[in-house]
Amino acid sequence: MTQSLLAELAAIVGPAAVLTGPEQTQAFYNDWRGVFAGNAMAVVRPQSTQEVARVVALAHATRTPIVPQGGNTGLAAGATPLGLDGAILLSLSRMHRIESVDPIGNTLTAQAGCVLTDVQAAADAANRLFPLSLGAEGSAQIGGLISTNAGGSGVLRYGTMRALVLGLEAVLPDGSVVDGLRALRKDNAGYDWKQLFIGAEGTLGIVTSAVLRLFPKPRFQTTALLGLASPSDALRAFSRLQDLLGDTLAACELFSDTTVSLRSAQQPSLARPMAAQPWYLLVEAAASLEGTRDAFEAALATLIDAGIANDCVVAESQRQSDELWEWRESIPETEKRAARSAKHDVSVPIVDVPRFIEEATLAVETAHRGTRVLAFGHVGDGNVHFNVLLPDGDAVRSDAVNATVHAIVTAYRGSITAEHGVGRYRRDELPAQRSPQEMALMRAVKRAIDPLGIMNPGSVLAMPPGAGSTSEYSPA
Ligand SMILES: Cc1cc2nc3c(=O)[nH]c(=O)nc-3n(C[C@H](O)[C@H](O)[C@H](O)COP(=O)(O)OP(=O)(O)OC[C@H]3O[C@@H](n4cnc5c(N)ncnc54)[C@H](O)[C@@H]3O)c2cc1C
């Protein structure tokens, strides 16, 4: 069976695009963090929507599970085939064509396998901005970014991926292609089905192409780093900057000295951005009219005068701006090198961010001896990456730390996955976070679109015994 299926797959995409050897497949089967290791029958790399459709139709006919994968930078094990030895890992990485850029309508049409930096560069070449920006942008792909409804540092001003997709093409679990590649700003013709696929983490079908929204490029951009005493001061700074700068405030990223000290220790030749402060707030202003820098510097001076910030460094060049951003963007890598960690990608109402960080830090460090909290995040969206460095050995279990953190998140009516998604990592915690009615709605959608349960089984929703092979998908 396996051999004949592999032969049929090779007939669709070409033998070189069906990978089975461990040296070729290992990078696809392991997750970015190196925590989850899966296995599948083969990695299949189609080059067109038609090839994707034929592969999916074959999987449907043979009831073979499919795990879609983009850049494999997801942090929820959604693209890792865990317990799915007989699955096809469908990689979109060969579908990397930017089809068109329209600087008048402000749209860009791209295949799902386009890497985010390539999309940003294509927009830039047309003097436009594609505003999604995140630490994994050199690897993450449009299909993965759509499927996880990615956020990043531009959300404060431009919203998440959900706000940046105008049209979508997807292959449904039976292999049919649904073409919604429309470049329309206004379209109220029935249900907006594409929204279901944004954030579905590959459980409803394969995203093959998208029309993305572009923006006029801000002509003046300034970055600064503030040194602060506490997350409460960060919130006060955010509020004052909104008052003083209005919508020119483009990013507001919080991180603590724990991460700055770790990176400095890992790279001793690197100069600290300023004398050590308990917390740092990276802020960026961007506008199309001249005078942004003066207004920005005046606003920053106000924060110092009011005693909200202790220190401030303003970038004098693009290079300095990039260096300041690197302190923020390098945090996941710094953390990965430092120690084993329990990650929490949570959100709470923006006004509760400081109280949440203080309360959860105290609770974790008291209940789990030897842990160290490394909290950072997009303070302007209420999204905190509340990561906990674990001591060597097995004395502290990460699921016990999760329980402590998520209980506090729940008390604030927050979310246990603000931007990384549920995947397989948070799947079993989802039912406790959503009402029975919400869970029933999610299962009904899954059943309606993927009745055989072949599409990324076991991700987001629990996989019933036998699903994805022979049984009907009917999650309890
Ligand atoms: C250093 C670092 C920084 C990060 N920073 C951020 C951040 O600031 N904000 C943020 O939101 N995330 C962040 N992430 C998480 C990650 O980059 C995002 O989740 C990203 O959107 C994943 O894209 P990908 O192409 O790598 O997807 P993958 O990891 O390959 O897949 C992610 C999910 O999408 C599904 N999928 C992938 N492609 C398709 C497709 N074409 N059709 C259907 N389903 C598909 C997969 O099955 C999986 O469930 C970060 C990750 C790293 C490693």
Side-chain angles (χ1 to χ4, degrees):
M1 167 68 177
T2 301
Q3 287 311 320
S4 70
L5 196 57
L6 287 173
E8 286 186 74
L9 289 166
I12 297 170
V13 296
V18 179
L19 314 179
T20 51
E23 63 294 343
Q24 294 175 306
T25 54
Q26 202 188 6
F28 295 89
Y29 294 164
N30 297 342
D31 84 319
W32 182 86
R33 291 170 63 196
V35 172
F36 300 100
N39 191 32
M41 175 177 48
V43 175
V44 178
R45 305 180 66 210
Q47 216 178 359
S48 66
T49 299
Q50 291 68 30
E51 285 186 5
V52 173
R54 289 178 63 198
V55 169
V56 176
L58 178 61
H60 186 258
T62 53
R63 301 196 171 198
T64 306
I66 296 187
V67 177
Q69 189 178 94
N72 197 16
T73 68
L75 298 173
T80 312
L82 294 177
L84 290 169
D85 288 9
I88 293 168
L89 189 144
L90 193 123
S91 165
L92 279 297
S93 54
R94 285 174 77 219
M95 290 178 56
H96 49 70
R97 212 172 41 242
I98 292 174
E99 308 279 7
S100 62
V101 182
D102 172 3
I104 298 174
N106 278 324
T107 62
L108 181 151
T109 304
Q111 284 186 311
C114 288
V115 169
L116 177 53
T117 42
D118 292 340
V119 170
Q120 292 166 341
D124 192 65
N127 200 25
R128 292 292 178 266
L129 174 75
F130 183 62
L132 192 79
S133 174
L134 43 82
E137 61 197 17
S139 305
Q141 300 174 6
I142 291 305
L145 294 157
I146 289 174
S147 300
T148 56
N149 184 27
S153 51
V155 172
L156 180 62
R157 184 144 161 196
Y158 299 101
T160 63
M161 200 62 180
R162 204 175 281 291
L164 303 176
V165 177
L166 292 176
L168 203 73
E169 179 190 75
V171 173
L172 299 181
D174 64 358
S176 56
V177 179
V178 49
D179 177 1
L181 278 181
R182 296 187 189 87
L184 303 177
R185 304 286 163 147
K186 290 185 163 184
D187 179 8
N188 284 344
Y191 298 138
D192 189 0
W193 62 265
K194 71 175 177 296
Q195 293 298 342
L196 276 179
F197 284 76
I198 303 174
E201 301 183 56
T203 60
L204 300 179
I206 314 284
V207 173
T208 44
S209 215
V211 182
L212 305 172
R213 204 171 153 198
L214 304 182
F215 293 81
K217 214 163 70 178
R219 289 164 53 225
F220 304 96
Q221 204 149 340
T222 323
T223 310
L225 189 70
L226 293 162
L228 309 146
S230 66
S232 298
D233 284 341
L235 197 65
R236 287 167 69 205
F238 170 61
S239 172
R240 286 292 283 275
L241 288 174
Q242 279 192 310
D243 290 344
L244 295 167
L245 298 173
D247 66 358
T248 57
L249 183 64
C252 206
E253 298 287 311
L254 178 69
F255 50 93
S256 72
D257 195 56
T258 309
T259 171
V260 174
S261 297
L262 276 176
R263 185 168 180 230
S264 301
Q266 288 171 1
Q267 299 176 55
S269 59
L270 205 63
R272 274 175 167 269
M274 62 173 59
Q277 297 286 331
W279 290 87
Y280 304 88
L281 193 66
L282 183 71
V283 287
E284 188 159 279
S288 294
L289 296 177
E290 224 162 336
T292 310
R293 189 179 176 94
D294 292 346
F296 191 47
E297 288 186 355
L300 297 170
T302 308
L303 298 180
I304 300 276
D305 292 346
I308 296 173
N310 301 330
D311 201 355
C312 178
V313 173
V314 183
E316 297 290 339
S317 63
Q318 186 58 48
R319 190 177 58 80
Q320 285 182 4
S321 168
D322 292 345
E323 283 168 5
L324 290 180
W325 269 106
E326 196 52 25
W327 285 98
R328 165 64 185 87
E329 300 290 20
S330 64
I331 295 174
E333 284 287 356
T334 302
E335 181 190 326
K336 193 176 170 183
R337 276 194 291 267
R340 209 164 53 93
S341 67
K343 285 182 182 288
H344 309 93
D345 161 40
V346 309
S347 60
V348 294
I350 295 168
V351 288
D352 293 327
V353 166
R355 275 198 304 150
F356 166 77
I357 292 178
E358 281 156 25
E359 208 177 303
T361 301
L362 184 65
V364 166
E365 293 183 348
T366 307
H368 308 285
R369 287 188 53 192
T371 55
R372 209 152 39 116
V373 168
L374 195 153
F376 60 99
H378 317 288
V379 79
D381 334 318
N383 179 192
V384 182
H385 297 296
F386 191 87
N387 296 346
V388 180
L389 302 178
L390 304 173
D392 289 339
D394 303 331
V396 178
R397 287 176 54 99
S398 62
D399 51 357
V401 176
N402 286 350
T404 305
V405 175
H406 288 168
I408 299 171
V409 173
T410 306
Y412 280 99
R413 281 189 71 87
S415 170
I416 62 162
T417 172
E419 55 180 15
H420 295 164
V422 176
R424 294 176 174 80
Y425 186 43
R426 296 286 176 221
R427 179 195 64 205
D428 295 340
E429 294 172 84
L430 185 64
Q433 300 293 325
R434 290 292 182 258
S435 67
Q437 293 76 12
E438 287 173 297
M439 290 305 299
L441 265 178
M442 289 188 221
R443 288 176 182 131
V445 169
K446 172 75 176 171
R447 260 197 307 273
I449 298 178
D450 181 22
L452 299 184
I454 60 166
M455 205 46 80
N456 213 358
S459 188
V460 183
L461 298 172
M463 178 169 50
S469 51
T470 52
S471 77
E472 203 61 5
Y473 192 84
S474 54

